[in-house]
């Protein structure tokens, strides 16, 4: 029964995406909505990303120093480990899990509210492809802006570790900075950006799907928002494993 329901939901999602990725009726309206969504979903998320990143970077640096304190391990390993953890996992996967809660719930609740207040029905009566009008700008905006959030996250996290070196005696600044530069692999940056693009699409499309098919009232909007966040988080973790296997072989 669970497998049947999952397949039915997946089929419904595919049909929904077919409606979403059609040519917009008015490109000017699509561009205007996309800019609005960039501001709402992307720019408004910058403060949260910066605050989380600086503290996580500091925590990673502290834990690395406390757990690898050994005369056999060079001191610059703290900076190296902090950099690679941030590049490989935190700046893309963990960040997107956090944004799935903020952005995903925002998208699902907004579209769900439009559904229960019959605004979507009104658009359909006027012959407008509501899925394309409401959802495509959100997906495009989040996919376009997510790499910027990832880059900000990387920089701020490394600064957080640097602040630990500056204001504590756990590691010297020179050793930390040398560790950031040592054995740098450029592909790790591209790997994180590629993953973030996939995760951004998953978050926006999944949350929109659950919000679009809400039935009932305000309580059901809250349930749809929760389901959207849970589903997108699970999919982010699943595709994290798949993409890691494909991109880091």
């Amino acid at each position: 029964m669970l497998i049947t329901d999952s397949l039915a939901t997946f089929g419904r999602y595919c049909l929904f995406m077919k409606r979403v990725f059609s040519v917009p009726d008015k490109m000017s309206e699509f561009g205007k909505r996309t800019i609005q969504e960039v501001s709402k979903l992307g720019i408004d998320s910058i403060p949260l990303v910066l605050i989380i990143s600086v503290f996580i970077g500091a925590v990673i640096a502290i834990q690395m120093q406390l757990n690898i304190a050994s005369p056999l391990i060079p001191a610059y390993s703290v900076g190296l480990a902090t950099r690679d953890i941030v590049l490989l996992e935190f700046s893309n996967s963990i960040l997107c899990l956090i944004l799935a809660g903020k952005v995903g719930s925002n998208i699902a609740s907004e579209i769900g509210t439009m559904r229960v207040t019959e605004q979507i029905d009104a658009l359909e009566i006027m012959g407008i492809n509501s899925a394309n009008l409401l959802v495509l700008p959100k997906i495009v905006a989040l996919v376009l802006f997510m790499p910027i959030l990832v880059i900000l996250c990387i920089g701020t996290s490394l600064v957080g570790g640097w602040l630990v070196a500056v204001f504590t005696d756990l590691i010297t600044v020179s050793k930390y900075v040398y560790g950031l530069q040592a054995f740098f692999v450029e592909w790790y940056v591209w790997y994180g950006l590629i993953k973030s693009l996939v995760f951004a699409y998953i978050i926006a499309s999944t949350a929109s799907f659950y919000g679009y098919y809400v039935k009932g009232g305000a309580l059901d909007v809250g349930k749809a928002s929760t389901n959207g966040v849970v589903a997108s988080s699970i999919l982010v973790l699943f595709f994290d494993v798949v993409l890691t296997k494909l991109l880091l072989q």
Side-chain angles (χ1 to χ4, degrees):
M1 187 67 179
L2 179 61
I3 296 177
T4 303
D5 291 341
S6 298
L7 290 175
T9 301
F10 179 70
R12 198 178 189 187
Y13 169 83
C14 291
L15 294 174
F16 176 65
M17 285 296 105
K18 182 180 178 181
R19 292 186 60 199
V20 170
F21 286 102
S22 58
V23 179
D25 295 329
K26 290 185 177 180
M27 292 303 297
S28 59
E29 181 66 20
F30 169 73
K32 178 182 176 181
R33 284 182 171 270
T34 301
I35 293 173
Q36 292 174 346
E37 297 298 339
V38 166
S39 175
K40 181 167 58 177
L41 302 179
I43 296 176
D44 289 352
S45 298
I46 290 178
L48 175 65
V49 171
L50 295 181
I51 292 172
I52 292 175
S53 299
V54 69
F55 285 110
I56 291 296
V59 169
I60 292 174
I62 293 172
Q63 291 183 345
M64 286 298 103
Q65 177 59 30
L66 294 178
N67 285 281
I68 64 174
S70 168
L72 300 178
I73 302 176
Y76 67 81
S77 297
V78 174
L80 188 151
T82 301
R83 180 200 68 203
D84 285 350
I85 290 173
V86 169
L87 290 179
L88 291 172
E89 201 63 23
F90 175 72
S91 66
N92 44 78
S93 303
I94 306 303
L95 177 66
C96 287
L97 284 174
I98 295 170
L99 292 179
K102 178 188 181 298
V103 176
S105 61
N106 179 287
I107 293 174
S109 59
E110 178 185 339
I111 297 179
T113 300
M114 295 184 69
R115 170 63 75 182
V116 300
T117 56
E118 300 181 349
Q119 296 180 53
I120 293 179
D121 296 331
L123 291 173
E124 294 290 341
I125 290 173
M126 290 187 290
I128 298 174
N129 183 349
S130 58
N132 174 269
L133 178 68
L134 300 176
V135 178
L136 185 59
K138 297 181 184 299
I139 295 177
V140 172
L142 192 60
V143 170
L144 288 177
F145 204 81
M146 185 61 78
I148 298 176
L149 294 178
V150 169
I151 292 171
L152 288 174
C153 178
I154 292 172
T156 311
S157 298
L158 298 182
V159 169
W162 176 79
L163 292 175
V164 170
V166 171
F167 293 106
T168 70
D169 57 356
L170 291 175
I171 182 175
T172 62
V173 174
S174 60
K175 291 292 185 183
Y176 177 79
V177 173
Y178 179 77
L180 295 181
Q181 300 171 337
F183 307 106
F184 174 68
V185 180
E186 182 184 351
W187 173 245
Y188 288 174
V189 178
W190 292 109
Y191 161 79
L193 293 176
I194 292 171
K195 286 206 302 181
S196 71
L197 294 176
V198 177
F199 297 159
Y201 168 78
I202 290 172
I203 293 169
S205 63
T206 305
S208 299
F209 171 75
Y210 278 93
Y212 191 83
Y213 288 105
V214 169
K215 292 182 179 179
L219 182 61
D220 296 285
V221 173
K223 291 180 180 178
S225 178
T226 301
N227 291 337
V229 171
V230 171
S232 59
S233 298
I234 293 173
L235 288 172
V236 164
L237 292 173
F238 173 75
F239 279 95
D240 186 23
V241 176
V242 174
L243 292 172
T244 298
K245 176 63 177 174
L246 292 176
L247 298 175
L248 290 182
Q249 285 186 345

